[in-house]
Amino acid sequence: MKGALGGPLQPIGFHDGAHAMKHRTFFWFILPTLSAMILFIALPIVSVFIQSLFVQHEQVLVVSESCGPFGCVEETQVDTEATAKLREEQPLGRFNGLATYFDRSHLASAEIAEVWHASTGLSSFIDGIMDLKFYKALVFTLTYTFVVTPLVLIFGLAVAVGVNNLPKAFRGVAIFISLLPFLVATIVGSMILSWMVDGEGIIGATLQNIFNDPSLSIKASTPLMWIMLMVYGVWHTLPFAFITFYAGLQTVPKDTLEAARVDGANKWQTMINVVVPHLMPLVSFVTLMLLMDNFRVFEPLVSFQAEAHAQSLSTFIVSDLREAGNPLYASASATSMLTILGVVILLTPVLIRTWRDFNAKAH
């Protein structure tokens, strides 16, 4: 039998069954990935958040009086058994709620209010803020992120276009050379550059000779150290942007490029009006990756031993965990949650733009 349009009649519920089968197939397809995300991402984040709500128990102190020939003296001792029992009964610690997030080591709401009332202008307010450890780390993290990310995008696209315009005989060598910084481990590359900028290194000694100042040291100057860390950040992550954009350039429609040339567009106009719009999905993807990676900057600070001049949120977390004899788990957890929140805030505009572009193409 045929329907009104000439097609075979479908039994009632056929389409519903087909949709259910597609949904069931899709569910089983994403189940491994979904399970891994819940196990290795969602649950650890929930665990860290719960830990941030508790602080370590205070030690139970016992005051005893010791009397001798010359009188009595009060002595304060730690009751190890009572302390151990308390920690055993409440392993997470003492519930502190969100107080850790607003203490002096983090958002410092009370200290911010004091600085605001005591400040005589914007500069004095900023100086007061920079005395707070968390905001000092946040300023460097944001500066590093907002400087390194756009530079990597711009230079990565420029290198990709340059390599793409080379004769085919030279492209393989150019690609290999461009990928070298990405092949070197982050910790190794930053250590090598740290040795080079040292006073006895090739870069440090050269700068001393140029400025005729034997005492000149990049590692002794906070501004120079910040610049060096950002230069390294650009150098190390540039190959990722380059290879992504280079792959995207291979998909640019040649007919569109030819049409632009026929219309009289020069290379710059073709790049702005044809190539860049075609690569925008890749630009959004690279931006997302760079923002997440740069906001968690850690290895260069350790390799350069730059903690005296620059500290990021990641090094802030590690310093809490390395607290001598008493790791500050609640403080480290609170900083971790604030870091995650910062990443989400940074990614939100890019994700909104990507969603709008997707919907525009869908319609």
Side-chain angles (χ1 to χ4, degrees):
M1 297 181 63
K2 295 185 177 181
L5 297 179
L9 288 175
Q10 302 290 352
I12 297 175
F14 174 82
H15 293 292
D16 294 338
H19 284 301
M21 184 177 296
K22 288 182 180 179
H23 291 168
R24 193 179 302 112
T25 303
F26 177 72
F27 171 76
W28 287 110
F29 178 76
I30 68 168
L31 182 60
T33 302
L34 187 62
S35 302
M37 291 178 64
I38 293 175
L39 183 62
F40 297 109
I41 298 178
L43 291 181
I45 290 177
V46 172
S47 175
V48 169
F49 174 70
I50 293 174
Q51 181 63 65
S52 70
L53 303 178
F54 294 83
V55 294
Q56 187 175 6
H57 291 293
E58 296 179 354
Q59 294 179 328
V60 179
L61 302 179
V62 177
V63 179
S64 59
E65 190 175 54
S66 176
C67 298
F70 302 101
C72 296
V73 178
E74 288 187 351
E75 295 181 352
T76 303
Q77 297 178 339
V78 177
D79 190 338
T80 55
E81 293 184 2
T83 302
K85 182 178 179 181
L86 182 62
R87 292 178 179 178
E88 183 179 353
E89 293 175 351
Q90 300 178 358
L92 286 177
R94 176 172 54 85
F95 183 75
N96 196 39
L98 298 177
T100 304
Y101 289 86
F102 296 96
D103 65 10
R104 180 178 176 81
S105 297
H106 296 89
L107 297 179
S109 55
E111 287 74 15
I112 291 292
E114 293 178 3
V115 172
W116 174 259
H117 291 299
S119 62
T120 57
L122 180 61
S123 59
S124 62
F125 177 72
I126 294 176
D127 291 339
I129 292 294
M130 292 301 289
D131 289 336
L132 299 171
K133 184 179 178 181
F134 176 81
Y135 288 99
K136 190 174 182 178
L138 180 63
V139 167
F140 171 79
T141 302
L142 290 174
T143 303
Y144 182 92
T145 301
F146 287 129
V147 171
V148 173
T149 301
L151 288 179
V152 170
L153 289 172
I154 294 170
F155 289 137
L157 181 58
V159 174
V161 172
V163 172
N164 192 54
N165 290 331
L166 288 176
K168 290 186 178 180
F170 299 102
R171 288 184 188 177
V173 177
I175 292 174
F176 176 76
I177 294 175
S178 301
L179 291 177
L180 281 177
F182 202 58
L183 301 177
V184 179
T186 305
I187 193 74
V188 175
S190 53
M191 287 181 65
I192 292 174
L193 187 58
S194 176
W195 296 333
M196 293 174 66
V197 301
D198 192 74
E200 299 179 355
I202 183 171
I203 296 178
T206 301
L207 290 176
Q208 290 177 357
N209 292 331
I210 292 175
F211 294 98
N212 195 23
D213 184 3
S215 63
L216 179 63
S217 174
I218 293 178
K219 294 184 177 181
S221 170
T222 297
L224 291 178
M225 180 58 72
W226 281 38
I227 293 173
M228 184 55 59
L229 289 169
M230 294 173 194
V231 168
Y232 173 78
V234 173
W235 175 81
H236 182 71
T237 54
L238 183 62
F240 168 70
F242 152 70
I243 199 64
T244 305
F245 291 144
Y246 180 77
L249 288 174
Q250 312 311 308
T251 66
V252 178
K254 294 185 178 180
D255 294 341
T256 306
L257 295 175
E258 291 295 333
R261 295 191 185 98
V262 171
D263 291 339
N266 56 33
K267 291 184 178 181
W268 178 253
Q269 291 171 332
T270 303
M271 172 66 63
I272 297 299
N273 298 310
V274 178
V275 176
V276 173
H278 179 78
L279 295 179
M280 279 310 297
L282 286 179
V283 171
S284 298
F285 167 73
V286 174
T287 302
L288 287 172
M289 296 298 103
L290 291 176
L291 286 174
M292 288 189 291
D293 191 50
N294 292 332
F295 198 76
R296 296 179 288 106
V297 57
F298 175 73
E299 291 91 344
L301 292 168
V302 176
S303 300
F304 279 90
Q305 298 179 346
E307 288 85 350
H309 302 283
Q311 190 175 44
S312 68
L313 294 177
S314 296
T315 59
F316 190 6
I317 296 170
V318 174
S319 65
D320 283 339
L321 295 176
R322 288 180 176 176
E323 191 72 21
N326 186 27
L328 305 176
Y329 295 114
S331 179
S333 299
T335 307
S336 299
M337 294 305 302
L338 292 172
T339 302
I340 294 173
L341 178 62
V343 171
V344 172
I345 293 173
L346 288 178
L347 297 186
T348 298
V350 182
L351 292 174
I352 292 175
R353 177 184 176 85
T354 303
W355 179 254
R356 288 177 178 174
D357 292 343
F358 176 78
N359 286 338
K361 290 182 178 180
H363 290 86

